[in-house]
Amino acid sequence: MGSESATEVAAERPHRVVVLALEGVYPFELGIPSRVFGAAGDRYEVLTCSVDGGPVRTNSDFSVTVEHGPEALRTADTVVLPPFDTAQVTRELRTEITDALAEVPPGTRIVSICTGAFVLAAAGLLDGRPATTHWALANVFRSWFPQVDLDPDVLFVDDGDLLTSAGAASGVDVCLHLVRKDHGTAVANQVARACVVPPWRDGGQAQYIVQPVPGRDSSGTWATRQWALENLHEPLTLRELADHARMSLRTFARRFNEEVGMSPGRWLIQQRVDHARQLLESTDLAVDDIAGQVGFATGTSLRQHLHAAIGVSPLAYRRTFRGTLSPST
């Protein structure tokens, strides 16, 4: 009998994530892939490498010793580039980084966190593609790489085989997103609980530029947002939201945008689409039934909003996102 195919062999081992630690790496973000993917049981294997296999100086007062050199990148299913000190950010890549990236096989999924996007852009991998990075570096990024479609207002951008995320904790967001994409909502929620983090976060980077999202503040919109989430099946007009918050329409809209980074209407649609996606992944409910549960008037309305958000129909989404790496049940 013939030998096993490469696909069959790959299916027998965990999905391999290789993290490339560069000089000045931030220790917190360096550990995110191992922490998040490691909480998914034996579904993933996480390796850490450097450009030469030697110790890597972090942006703190210590170095880290890694077990692998750039050759580990040849075996990766997903490569993660954690951020590094802004003093190390350059417009042109150093030779050793270029050589390391050359080890990554074509078609490998690549993920950057924060300043890691500068590496991908300098390597030409983001040309003509959507991406994000930390909002504070957006102007520099745009001036250096105008050929990249930068959106500094989001927590992460998923462009298929290339994913970029914003600063610090957005690395958790994008890793959880990949777990959800690979194995479905149930597994991602388990991972989030194990890591004591929310499965997803509302809004984008805009909410962090001026001020953080307020907590349980009676003068803000937090309580109204929680109330809206509990009543997504209702029409919920802007007037009803403002009345619940005991604010005028104008004041409510302004405060909401300041706190969340988007308008109330856009936020409501996003929450309804997100809830619909969860139900498509975790239930066998008909599209019309899901539409009613999340507050869309008809199944047609749900189809239109889902397609506008992610470019696919509900049925196509259900087939794909119940866990692309999970065995059929």
Side-chain angles (χ1 to χ4, degrees):
M1 295 178 66
S3 59
E4 294 178 300
S5 69
T7 301
E8 291 172 333
V9 172
E12 294 176 356
R13 66 169 175 82
H15 184 97
R16 178 168 291 175
V17 179
V18 179
V19 184
L20 176 59
L22 300 176
E23 193 72 13
V25 67
Y26 291 117
F28 171 72
E29 289 90 330
L30 175 63
I32 286 174
S34 180
R35 185 67 185 90
V36 175
F37 293 119
D42 59 0
R43 296 175 177 87
Y44 298 92
E45 174 188 27
V46 183
L47 307 180
T48 305
C49 71
S50 64
V51 295
D52 57 5
V56 180
R57 184 75 183 175
T58 71
N59 78 319
S60 300
D61 62 341
F62 59 88
S63 298
V64 293
T65 301
V66 299
E67 299 294 328
H68 306 279
E71 67 279 354
L73 295 167
R74 302 173 197 162
T75 68
D77 299 305
T78 295
V79 171
V80 179
L81 282 165
F84 46 90
D85 196 284
T86 54
Q88 302 287 337
V89 173
T90 58
R91 193 170 187 171
E92 303 291 336
L93 291 182
R94 297 194 300 273
T95 301
E96 60 267 27
I97 298 177
T98 301
D99 292 343
L101 291 178
E103 300 284 352
V104 180
T108 301
R109 187 166 66 185
I110 303 178
V111 184
S112 70
I113 304 173
C114 193
T115 52
F118 281 79
V119 174
L120 300 184
L125 297 176
L126 296 179
D127 288 0
R129 302 184 70 161
T132 194
T133 190
H134 195 291
W135 62 266
L137 301 172
N139 289 338
V140 174
F141 191 98
R142 282 198 179 106
S143 67
W144 286 3
F145 310 111
Q147 67 276 23
V148 180
D149 181 14
L150 184 71
D151 184 352
D153 294 331
V154 296
L155 293 174
F156 63 84
V157 172
D158 181 346
D159 194 36
D161 60 337
L162 281 174
L163 295 92
T164 51
S165 61
S170 66
V172 175
D173 295 309
V174 73
C175 288
L176 277 174
H177 168 72
L178 288 178
V179 174
R180 184 172 181 269
K181 186 174 181 178
D182 292 344
H183 296 289
T185 297
V187 173
N189 287 347
Q190 291 172 3
V191 169
R193 283 194 293 271
C195 296
V196 198
V197 295
W200 65 87
R201 287 191 289 163
D202 297 338
Q205 291 195 72
Q207 62 188 302
Y208 302 105
I209 295 175
V210 179
Q211 61 183 22
V213 175
R216 298 171 183 256
D217 181 357
S218 60
S219 65
T221 66
W222 183 89
T224 296
R225 280 182 274 132
Q226 300 309 304
W227 174 77
L229 290 175
E230 295 169 2
N231 293 276
L232 282 180
H233 57 285
E234 299 291 345
L236 296 180
T237 64
L238 180 58
R239 167 59 67 187
E240 289 175 315
L241 294 174
D243 287 347
H244 184 275
R246 298 181 180 179
M247 298 179 188
S248 69
L249 286 174
R250 183 174 180 180
T251 298
F252 178 77
R254 176 179 58 80
R255 290 293 298 276
F256 195 101
N257 193 71
E258 289 173 350
E259 295 174 11
V260 181
M262 63 180 71
S263 70
R266 181 182 170 192
W267 179 83
L268 266 178
I269 290 174
Q270 182 182 84
Q271 303 313 306
R272 285 175 167 145
V273 168
D274 286 347
H275 190 32
R277 290 168 67 174
Q278 294 174 53
L279 292 175
L280 285 167
E281 293 178 15
S282 60
T283 75
D284 293 317
L285 290 172
V287 172
D288 286 346
D289 292 334
I290 291 176
Q293 288 197 23
V294 303
F296 289 123
T298 64
T300 299
S301 180
L302 169 56
R303 292 181 182 91
Q304 291 172 342
H305 285 295
L306 186 69
H307 192 276
I310 58 177
V312 298
S313 70
L315 294 182
Y317 181 86
R318 172 172 271 165
R319 284 195 300 268
T320 302
F321 289 95
R322 279 197 167 181
T324 58
L325 298 184
S326 298
S328 299
T329 57

